[in-house]
Amino acid sequence: MKAVAQSDADPAVDAFSLYDAEEAVIRQAEAMLAGLSDAAAGVNALADAYRRGYREQRRLVRMSDRMQLDLQRANQCLAEQRRDLQTLNEALSKEIEHRTRLEAELRRLADTDSLTGALARRRFMEISAREWERHQGGADPICVLMLDLDRFKLVNDSFGHAVGDAALVACVAACRANLRPRDIIGRTGGEEFAVLLPETGLGYALDAAERLRGAVASAPVEAPGEGVALSVSIGVAQARRGESLESALQRADAALYAAKDDGRDRVRTAPGEVSS
């Protein structure tokens, strides 16, 4: 009777208990689905962030590649410019060297008689003027010589200009061999030369002039079939206090013509010279 009584219990109570459990399961399932949805949303957000990061990374990689390529091209351009600049510098250096040599040669040609190697008249006067001024302020004497090859026109007319040129070269070579390193010789005319003797009194200047005269007379000059005898006339002048170089050269030139008038091949002093 008791068992029957349990089976006869209120079915509404049992039905309510069953539905309540199902509702709880359903709620749990819904909660799980909501959690899964939230997780899916999070995964999707993470995936979107990853995709954005990946795209940005690819963009940065492409940008880096372009920058590397641009940098490589810039380095190549700089290397080419350096090579071009080096080539230009080398060419410029050669041009400067060429111009320097050319200027030096032009100065040498302007300063030097191209035939004999003696100083040109302008350069002789420039150097001599400086020496003259320096000596005029001191106690040391200074002398000038004027030299002229005797009968030079006859040499040219008899043997030709080539032999005449050889005679001029021989004259200067003989003079240089008998002058001091500090002495100065210049070609002042066709066959006329001037010599400056620094720190030299009249006595030594006369001795030097005689040595030059003898050396020129002994200088060998060959002409077709025979030798050519040379001689030179020389005028000597010592600087007077306060006298200009031009004035002393004029007095030496007057002494030169006195030597010519006395028969050539000799040394004469300017009128009124007194040995110091």
Side-chain angles (χ1 to χ4, degrees), residues 195-221:
V195 176
L196 183 79
L197 302 175
E199 300 177 4
T200 302
L202 185 61
Y204 181 86
L206 289 171
D207 291 340
E210 285 293 347
R211 286 197 304 273
L212 298 185
R213 187 191 61 78
V216 172
S218 302
V221 178

Side-chain angles (χ1 to χ4, degrees), residues 63-76:
M63 183 182 297
S64 176
D65 290 342
R66 286 196 298 270
M67 291 175 65
Q68 289 290 337
L69 182 59
D70 291 343
L71 181 61
Q72 183 179 4
R73 289 173 177 170
N75 287 334
Q76 291 175 349

Side-chain angles (χ1 to χ4, degrees), residues 88-99:
L88 182 61
N89 284 335
E90 290 174 355
L92 184 59
S93 297
K94 291 180 180 178
E95 179 65 19
I96 292 174
E97 183 180 354
H98 173 70
R99 285 176 178 264

Side-chain angles (χ1 to χ4, degrees), residues 15-25 27:
F16 177 80
S17 298
L18 176 63
Y19 293 148
D20 190 46
E22 289 176 347
E23 285 292 335
V25 171
R27 284 194 298 272

